[in-house]
């Protein structure tokens, strides 16, 4: 059945607005070429959109002939404003932008763990209101007859936890602050004219990586978030998958080898989170004799990883990667034997010691497994040595979910306790002839061993995802994924190649910790434009 005239007009208007958003200012002639519409139809839609306050003349093209076709039309960016929130356990980050995504104001407010629900919500809402007022002051003068000019139209929120797919509400999750759920309701009450939406933060990070980051050329991929907590987001055939209960990607609860226990329905301790959460990463760095921050949060773990990458890059051309067979250990390579180059310039040492992942799969704990604390017989050394190595997790294991905490004093350790008793991660090299220590190769550095063991741990969880979904691409996101860069991504890819027959490219995030805010802003912009780019009789203009 053919579309009615009003429906056809709405579709044409929306098409023209999308093109103006993507391409920037265009002439009527260019709109005619890009849309395939007739000249009279384009003239009509330009008049409608101009009258509604959505587009305006922003200049002239470089054409010699003056006239209507030479005028450049652009979207009126201040027609409405958008807010994006990244809600963390320790505070809130806010930005406000115009319809084209230009950031007009930013704010952040720390919220302590002892703050009550009421005071915490009030601080967060005040930050949003303050940023909205600052953005409004920067807006262009209001257009006469256009209601809602420069006001906050849509608020996009990224938060840890499960989002109910039926209602869109943030579900109550154990271990997450109570003020998270109250914030959405309060914002809607205090901003009655705005549309408030909430989405799992890892899903928003994946959206941002797909639109603006490392997965721009991928319709199918998995984002593995590595930060304070761990999470995953799944994009298949260009669509974000949430699952029946909104829990797709709760990889922190994934049972994995190398931990002391199994996770439970309310506690991810013993799951993948216990190997790759920020506290586990900073604890591993301390065991390897690397400088570690006092606070085992996402930025702290990223600092440790970034420092290790810088050290190995300074010492040599990449990190020598041990290659082992899938089922059996192989002899340790002799110096100078079997060195080849893998794509990206990373050295591959054929015939090196069994790594943690291979040792776990074969039932034999190799040197790297012992160094990393991954022992198939008894689980993680660091966790079995101290119950204080972890705290209760949560049902939401996204970028800021709660997780393990470092052992007391771990952040200040300079030499691991294991170094004296067994060949641990940071064991000093044995003295050579005459008592002088041998020169350390990049692969012998504690920083290189730290990165190899971390890659082993990440690959354990990534391999499970790859086996089920075959995404073809895994993006290491979050602060840690971005800090590891191409070095860590290359190590994880090499391990996946040995663990799975499914070809999988591993990339480092290009957005890191900012991805949640970017994803929240993109979501808010999409929703606002869906409403504003409607037929004129529904615009209220």
């Amino acid at each position: 059945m053919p579309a009615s005239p009003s429906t056809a007009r709405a579709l044409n208007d929306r098409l023209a607005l999308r093109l103006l958003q993507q391409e920037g200012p265009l002439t009527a002639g260019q709109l005619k070429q890009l849309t395939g519409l007739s000249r009279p139809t384009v003239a009509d839609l330009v008049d409608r959109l101009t009258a509604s306050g959505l587009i305006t003349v922003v200049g002239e093209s470089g054409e010699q002939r003056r006239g209507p076709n030479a005028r450049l039309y652009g979207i009126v960016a201040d027609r409405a404003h958008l807010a994006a929130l990244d809600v963390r356990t320790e505070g809130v980050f806010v930005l406000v932008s115009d319809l084209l995504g230009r950031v007009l104001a930013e704010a952040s407010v720390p919220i302590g763990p002892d703050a009550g629900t009421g005071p915490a919500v009030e601080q967060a809402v005040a930050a949003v209101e303050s940023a909205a007022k600052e953005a409004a002051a920067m807006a262009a003068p209001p257009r006469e007859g256009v209601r809602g000019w420069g006001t906050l139209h849509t608020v996009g929120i990224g938060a840890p936890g499960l989002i109910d797919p039926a209602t869109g509400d943030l579900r109550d999750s154990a271990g997450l602050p109570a003020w998270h759920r109250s914030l959405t309701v309060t914002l809607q009450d205090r901003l009655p004219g705005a549309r408030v939406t909430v989405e799992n933060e890892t899903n928003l990070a994946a959206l941002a990586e797909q639109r603006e980051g490392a997965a721009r050329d991928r319709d199918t991929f998995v984002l593995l978030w590595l930060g304070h907590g761990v999470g995953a987001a799944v994009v298949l055939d260009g669509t974000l998958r949430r699952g029946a209960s909104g829990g797709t990607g709760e990889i922190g609860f994934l049972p994995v080898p190398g931990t002391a226990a199994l996770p439970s329905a309310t506690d991810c301790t013993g799951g993948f989170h216990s190997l790759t959460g920020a506290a586990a990463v900073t604890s591993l760095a301390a065991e390897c004799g690397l400088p570690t921050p006092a606070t085992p949060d996402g930025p702290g773990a990223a600092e440790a990883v970034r420092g290790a990458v810088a050290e190995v890059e300074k010492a040599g051309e990449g990190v020598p990667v041990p290659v082992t067979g899938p089922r059996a250990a192989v002899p340790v390579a002799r110096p100078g034997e079997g060195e080849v180059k893998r794509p990206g310039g990373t050295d591959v040492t054929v015939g090196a010691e069994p790594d943690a992942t291979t040792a776990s799969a074969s039932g034999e704990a190799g040197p790297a497994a012992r160094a990393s604390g991954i022992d198939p017989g008894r689980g993680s050394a660091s966790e079995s040595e101290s119950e204080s190595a972890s705290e209760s997790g949560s049902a939401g294991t996204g970028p800021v979910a709660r997780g393990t905490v470092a052992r007391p004093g771990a952040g200040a350790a300079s030499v691991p306790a294991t170094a004296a008793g067994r060949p641990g991660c940071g064991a000093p090299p044995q003295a050579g002839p005459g008592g002088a220590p041998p020169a350390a190769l990049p692969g012998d550095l504690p920083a290189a061993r730290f990165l190899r063991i971390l890659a082993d741990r990440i690959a354990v969880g990534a391999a499970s995802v790859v086996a089920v979904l075959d995404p073809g691409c895994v993006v290491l996101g979050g602060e840690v994924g971005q800090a590891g860069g191409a070095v860590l991504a290359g190590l994880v890819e090499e391990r996946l190649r040995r663990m799975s027959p499914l070809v999988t490219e591993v990339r480092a995030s290009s957005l890191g910790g900012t991805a949640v805010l970017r994803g929240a802003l993109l979501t808010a912009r999409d929703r606002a434009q869906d409403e504003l780019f409607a037929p004129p009789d529904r615009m209220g203009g």
Side-chain angles (χ1 to χ4, degrees), residues 81-85 92-97 104-109 118-138 150-155 157 183-194 196:
H81 288 166
L82 317 168
L85 278 70
V92 176
F93 298 89
V94 182
L95 65 80
V96 176
S97 82
L104 303 175
E106 297 178 85
S108 63
V109 54
V121 170
E122 183 58 36
Q123 291 179 63
V125 173
V128 175
E129 292 176 333
S130 174
K133 289 178 181 178
E134 181 181 345
M138 297 176 59
T151 59
L152 202 56
H153 183 281
T154 306
V155 180
I157 303 174
L183 176 60
T184 303
V185 176
T186 305
L187 278 172
Q188 192 65 80
D189 290 341
R190 295 270 285 270
L191 304 169
V196 179

Side-chain angles (χ1 to χ4, degrees), residues 67-81:
N69 286 349
R71 296 174 183 170
L72 282 169
Y73 294 93
I75 289 178
V76 180
D78 283 321
R79 174 66 172 80
H81 288 166

